[in-house]
Amino acid sequence: MKKLNNILLALLLGAIFSACTEYMPKPKGYFRIDLPEKNYKTFHQEGFPCSFEYAENVSNVKTSATNADSVWIDVIYPQCNARIYGTYRKVQGNFEQLAEEAYKLVYQPHVAKADGINSAFYCNDEHKVYGMFYELKGNTASNIQFAMSDSTHHFLRGALYFNNNPNKDSIAPVVNYIKEDIIKLINTLEWK
């Protein structure tokens, strides 16, 4: 019996001393995202009013006409569960209206959720491409938007969206990855 009491006492003391170790909760983690190297290809579709380069090995481009003056163009990233929704519209004396509409689509729905909105003016005199690039910080529905035009004939607006709830920490690497592609698209944009 004395031996059993000693064993129980040893187990009790062991449990007490092991329970006194300090516990530190671990921060929430996210899955590692391995993003492939990119190879760029020129998007040039007969009848489409502009051309640009996109990452051919991670995305694809889909177009659909809505009417004679407007065309949807989407750059789809199936591996990233993301899409750049683009809208091309002919400028017919309504440039200010189109520019104001693009501005409102950046600020009105996102200003309440955004931690900040950075904007940068873009100018390429050689190809007559001018516009704004917007980077929305925080848990916003769209992280990057842009509006490009020659102000007389062409207007292209785009917005990056993910097919999931926004969480800036978990999608940050993918946003930065696609941001490079959007900058490449803008830098290689040419009107026809």
Side-chain angles (χ1 to χ4, degrees):
M1 186 73 163
K2 191 173 183 179
K3 204 174 199 179
L4 181 63
N5 285 342
N6 286 340
I7 292 174
L8 288 174
L9 181 62
L11 287 174
L12 181 63
L13 288 174
I16 290 172
F17 288 120
S18 67
C20 292
T21 61
E22 193 172 318
Y23 174 73
M24 293 294 293
K26 296 188 186 228
K28 186 175 183 178
Y30 300 101
F31 294 107
R32 178 186 166 111
I33 301 170
D34 290 322
L35 300 167
E37 292 289 321
K38 295 182 249 188
N39 297 314
Y40 289 97
K41 175 181 175 178
T42 300
F43 171 78
H44 177 78
Q45 182 175 313
E46 189 65 39
F48 195 76
C50 64
S51 64
F52 56 85
E53 289 185 18
Y54 69 99
E56 70 172 331
N57 57 330
V58 294
S59 62
N60 58 52
V61 179
K62 178 179 152 187
T63 62
S64 58
T66 57
N67 60 44
D69 300 329
S70 184
V71 180
W72 288 336
I73 180 163
D74 297 340
V75 181
I76 304 163
Y77 291 81
Q79 296 169 325
C80 301
N81 204 21
R83 181 181 294 230
I84 302 167
Y85 289 93
T87 305
Y88 170 85
R89 294 177 69 185
K90 286 183 183 177
V91 176
Q92 299 172 335
N94 59 346
F95 172 74
E96 288 180 14
Q97 175 190 347
L98 294 172
E100 181 66 24
E101 187 178 292
Y103 177 84
K104 285 180 181 177
L105 287 170
V106 171
Y107 283 91
Q108 283 183 349
H110 299 104
V111 75
K113 288 276 189 184
D115 295 337
I117 300 175
N118 297 334
S119 61
F121 179 71
Y122 179 81
C123 176
N124 181 334
D125 287 325
E126 181 183 347
H127 298 293
K128 297 189 180 353
V129 178
Y130 312 97
M132 295 297 293
F133 176 85
Y134 301 96
E135 191 169 3
L136 295 87
K137 303 292 185 181
N139 290 328
T140 58
S142 175
N143 303 93
I144 297 174
Q145 295 195 24
F146 62 92
M148 300 292 137
S149 180
D150 65 354
S151 73
T152 56
H153 299 94
H154 307 282
F155 192 90
L156 178 66
R157 182 188 173 286
L160 171 63
Y161 284 93
F162 288 88
N163 296 326
N164 57 342
N165 291 330
N167 184 333
K168 66 181 177 183
D169 295 330
S170 66
I171 62 172
V174 180
V175 169
N176 291 332
Y177 182 77
I178 297 175
K179 178 183 172 182
E180 292 175 12
D181 294 349
I182 293 172
I183 291 170
K184 182 77 165 181
L185 183 153
I186 292 169
N187 285 330
T188 59
L189 182 64
E190 292 185 37
W191 311 115
K192 294 182 186 175

